[in-house]
Amino acid sequence: MKFSTFNDATDAVRQMIRSGEGDFNQLALALFALQKEHVPAYRDLCQTKPVTATHWREIPTVPTTAFRDLEITSLSPETRTTVFHSSGTTGAAHSRHWHNALSLAVYETSLRIGIEKYLRPKDCQILTLTPPPNEAPHSSLSHMAATVHPSVIFGGCITDTGWSINHENTQRTCKKAIQTQTPLLIIGPAFSFVHWLDQLDSPIALPTGSRVMETGGYKGRSRELSKTELHELISNNLGVTHNHIVCEYGMCELSSQAYDRIVGEQTARTFTFPAWARSRVISSETGSEVDDGNTGLLQVFDLANIRSVLAIQTGDIAVRRGEGFELIGRATQSDPRGCSLALAES
């Protein structure tokens, strides 16, 4: 398989996303060849450590820090219509991931299918704790929330101190859901749930079937809780059962998201990507994939990343769980060897 243009690649990847079927390996190798030729920064990085990839696991990954320091895109400046920034800590430089209309449409198709599979929002009213996209145009999470449903209600806002909760909107939305007994799907980053629930006067009993999608870390924006403590806080204050709390793993450098369970199921929490994205957990010393149950650095291979690079080396530590992973946290120093491309070598 070979792609002559990005339009060809887009059509093939979109077909796989919609059908859930396709040869991931062939698509990944064809997209890698196209990106290596047309993403200047990737081409330069690959020249520092030439690799002949014959399997998707051999495709050179780009560290997420490269999205901060370089323009990892095949799009010329005049064709870029959207850019997502990493959230990061206050004052830190942000990663940037550019899209045009076509690549953004692939991103939106990918996230909709993931949300429908793992959150099953049909018949739910949707509340997001993010600001609306017009207030946070570079937030992929705000864009994601707006894409889920046109009538989503935004319970977040931008203030002088950053993202805050619009308590009037959140209270009114919860009250309406209770009055109409309509299940509520609430989407938000972990720190926003802490901001909101720490200031509740009294617990809320949301209708049965209400669900939560929480994502991201705290980044110094709120007090930090363990995952268990956060879910206890959510369950105790909103009446949402633990099996209706779903964790999402995503970042601005990706166009697909992983989820740790399907809402309502009691399975062990393990993040898995959809069929058009794969993960590996590698040893930072050897670059080799670790055995099941062992810990290493997380790599993601995302076909929906059409106009940037599909192979991403994250700075996250994870435990390999079969074809999925359990997220442990952020590496304090992540300089993997093996087939990853280190900026220091460029």
Side-chain angles (χ1 to χ4, degrees):
M1 180 182 291
K2 181 179 180 181
F3 295 134
S4 299
T5 67
F6 281 102
N7 284 349
D8 293 341
T10 300
D11 289 343
V13 170
R14 193 150 50 186
Q15 173 64 24
M16 183 175 187
I17 292 173
R18 287 173 172 165
S19 68
E21 298 178 353
D23 189 322
F24 181 88
N25 190 50
Q26 284 193 14
L27 288 168
L29 291 174
L31 185 56
F32 161 58
L34 190 68
Q35 292 175 339
K36 189 171 66 169
E37 183 177 355
H38 293 284
V39 179
Y42 193 36
R43 181 175 59 233
D44 294 344
L45 289 169
C46 286
Q47 288 174 351
T48 67
K49 187 183 291 185
V51 173
T52 302
T54 58
H55 192 276
W56 66 266
R57 286 183 166 84
E58 300 168 354
I59 295 173
T61 57
V62 170
T64 51
T65 52
F67 284 78
R68 177 196 63 200
D69 300 326
L70 302 170
E71 294 193 351
I72 307 293
T73 181
S74 61
L75 296 168
S76 58
E78 64 273 16
T79 62
R80 302 169 187 171
T81 58
T82 302
V83 58
F84 294 134
H85 293 174
S86 58
S87 49
T89 53
T90 303
H94 299 289
S95 291
R96 303 151 300 164
H97 193 181
W98 287 278
H99 289 277
N100 64 4
L102 204 55
S103 68
L104 189 65
V106 173
Y107 168 85
E108 291 173 346
T109 301
S110 174
L111 75 86
R112 281 194 188 100
I113 291 176
I115 287 278
E116 288 169 5
K117 176 178 179 180
Y118 291 95
L119 274 302
R120 298 176 177 172
K122 186 181 179 183
D123 301 327
C124 287
Q125 189 170 4
I126 303 174
L127 169 68
T128 175
L129 303 184
T130 67
N134 65 329
E135 293 185 24
H138 303 309
S139 167
S140 57
L141 187 59
S142 291
H143 187 89
M144 178 184 188
T147 303
V148 172
H149 197 280
S151 64
V152 63
I153 296 166
F154 289 91
C157 58
I158 296 288
T159 66
D160 292 341
T161 57
W163 285 21
S164 295
I165 297 298
N166 182 326
H167 291 276
E168 183 178 343
N169 271 4
T170 54
Q171 292 297 101
R172 183 172 58 245
T173 303
C174 290
K175 184 177 180 180
K176 181 179 178 182
I178 294 168
Q179 288 174 339
T180 61
Q181 284 299 290
T182 303
L184 198 58
L185 163 60
I186 307 176
I187 297 170
F191 67 84
S192 289
F193 279 101
V194 174
H195 285 168
W196 178 32
L197 301 178
D198 275 354
Q199 295 184 47
L200 278 184
D201 293 331
S202 59
I204 298 170
L206 291 175
T208 300
S210 294
R211 58 209 62 189
V212 161
M213 188 203 90
E214 63 95 352
T215 186
Y218 298 94
K219 303 180 178 68
R221 297 183 182 186
S222 74
R223 65 189 179 101
E224 296 198 8
L225 303 178
S226 68
K227 194 64 72 179
T228 300
E229 292 171 331
L230 176 63
H231 292 181
E232 281 293 321
L233 182 73
I234 291 171
S235 185
N236 292 340
N237 283 282
L238 299 177
V240 176
T241 57
H242 284 255
N243 66 351
H244 277 63
I245 301 173
V246 178
C247 303
E248 181 252 19
Y249 177 86
M251 59 179 66
C252 86
E253 296 89 346
L254 296 175
S255 299
S256 300
Q257 300 78 36
Y259 295 87
D260 73 345
R261 67 168 36 159
I262 293 175
V263 65
E265 296 189 352
Q266 294 285 5
T267 52
R269 292 188 178 275
T270 299
F271 282 105
T272 54
F273 279 98
W276 55 93
R278 303 284 170 88
S279 64
R280 295 178 76 216
V281 179
I282 65 160
S283 162
S284 61
E285 292 298 318
T286 66
S288 299
E289 194 164 12
V290 302
D291 291 333
D292 196 34
N294 287 351
T295 302
L297 288 169
L298 180 67
Q299 296 182 334
V300 181
F301 298 77
D302 183 5
L303 294 180
N305 261 10
I306 290 176
R307 298 308 297 254
S308 55
V309 292
L310 71 100
I312 304 294
Q313 174 63 62
T314 80
D316 291 324
I317 301 173
V319 177
R320 182 182 175 187
R321 301 292 186 200
E323 299 301 315
F325 62 93
E326 176 186 348
L327 192 64
I328 301 299
R330 183 62 56 88
T332 54
Q333 181 178 2
S334 55
D335 184 15
R337 299 171 186 172
C339 63
S340 293
L341 298 168
L343 287 176
E345 297 173 350
S346 64

